[in-house]
Amino acid sequence: MKKFPYTPLQIAVHLYAWSGLVLLLFDYFTSNLSPNPIQDLEQRTGRHAITLLVLSLLCTPINTIFKWSEPLKRRRALGVYAFLYAAIHMIIFVDLDFGLAWSSVIKEVIEKPRLIVGVIAFILLIPLALTSFDIWKKRLGKNWKRLHQLVYLIAPLVFLHYIWSKKGDLLSLQGEVLKPMIYGLIIGIFLIFRIPPIRKALASFSTRSLALLNKKDPQPKVDTP
């Protein structure tokens, strides 16, 4: 019997990634968007982009803690999907919101720090998306890994862009800041895990814990007649 070529995790990644766009199109054609449809499209594509980016960051800790290697194989797809939604997010902003009036776009970006941070994060994502293919990994060698470590700068910038886009009081967690703060907390934890001593200690603890869990109990002796 021929083996099914896709794993459950692989299917789940692609289904979740495309679900954002499918739901958007469904809500658009059924007139189920908010009274401000352009803003709704911007917010939902941006939120899906940051979710996929966070999931891509989750792959390494999962591998470190649980010694499960498959998430590392799905990390690239999650990153590319995150860029796809970030690009759609930008297109909606530039085209639908401002009608490709570049002077107005530039003026708007310069006047608002949240947009400056968002544009910087998007620009930094571009070389990561373009070099996500195996051929670039071979051509760039060790520089490929250095380049893709930019994601650890991009993630905090995306968080800043997200939380500055929401109305509310950050100190009292009033308004719409709770969800961005959850994203920020998750990103912060992932970045802490990237600190070499912490990552080494976590991997060592995980190895010992899994070894204890996998340790087989001695088989009871069976009396023979």
Side-chain angles (χ1 to χ4, degrees):
M1 184 182 231
K2 191 175 180 181
K3 187 178 179 182
F4 190 64
Y6 304 107
T7 67
L9 180 61
Q10 190 175 9
I11 294 171
V13 165
H14 292 295
L15 285 177
Y16 176 74
W18 285 109
S19 68
L21 192 57
V22 170
L23 289 174
L24 269 182
L25 292 173
F26 177 80
D27 288 343
Y28 174 78
F29 287 110
T30 57
S31 302
N32 200 30
L33 295 174
S34 70
N36 189 341
I38 294 177
Q39 184 184 64
D40 198 5
L41 292 171
E42 285 180 351
Q43 291 180 349
R44 289 170 64 173
T45 52
R47 188 164 57 246
H48 210 58
I50 190 174
T51 302
L52 289 162
L53 184 65
V54 167
L55 289 175
S56 73
L57 292 174
L58 179 62
C59 294
T60 298
I62 287 179
N63 172 253
T64 302
I65 296 171
F66 301 105
K67 308 303 179 186
W68 185 24
S69 62
E70 188 183 353
L72 296 180
K73 300 176 183 178
R74 311 302 161 217
R75 180 173 55 187
R76 177 167 54 182
L78 288 166
V80 172
Y81 278 128
F83 174 77
L84 171 65
Y85 279 91
I88 296 173
H89 179 71
M90 287 290 293
I91 291 170
I92 292 170
F93 171 71
V94 172
D95 190 0
L96 297 185
D97 211 354
F98 283 87
L100 297 177
W102 291 103
S103 59
S104 299
V105 171
I106 293 171
K107 182 181 178 182
E108 183 78 1
V109 170
I110 291 174
E111 290 178 351
K112 296 182 178 179
R114 66 180 175 85
L115 297 181
I116 294 175
V117 169
V119 169
I120 292 173
F122 179 71
I123 291 173
L124 292 176
L125 271 174
I126 294 174
L128 271 62
L130 292 177
T131 60
S132 62
F133 304 100
D134 289 335
I135 187 172
W136 282 107
K137 192 171 184 179
K138 293 178 181 178
R139 287 181 178 180
L140 294 175
K142 293 181 179 179
N143 290 325
W144 186 90
K145 185 175 181 179
R146 295 190 187 103
L147 175 64
H148 282 253
Q149 285 176 342
L150 279 174
V151 71
Y152 301 111
L153 170 62
I154 293 169
L157 292 176
V158 170
F159 162 68
L160 285 176
H161 171 69
Y162 186 23
I163 198 165
W164 277 349
S165 301
K166 295 297 181 181
K167 297 177 182 178
D169 186 350
L170 182 60
L171 296 178
S172 62
L173 295 180
Q174 297 293 322
E176 302 175 340
V177 299
L178 183 57
K179 187 177 288 186
M181 285 302 298
I182 294 173
Y183 279 96
L185 179 62
I186 295 172
I187 290 171
I189 292 172
F190 290 167
L191 294 179
I192 289 173
F193 282 170
R194 295 297 302 176
I195 300 174
I198 294 178
R199 184 176 181 179
K200 185 177 180 181
L202 185 65
S204 177
F205 175 77
S206 175
T207 300
R208 292 197 302 269
S209 299
L210 290 175
L212 289 174
L213 289 173
N214 293 329
K215 188 176 181 181
K216 295 181 179 180
D217 294 327
Q219 296 294 327
K221 293 181 179 180
V222 179
D223 294 331
T224 56

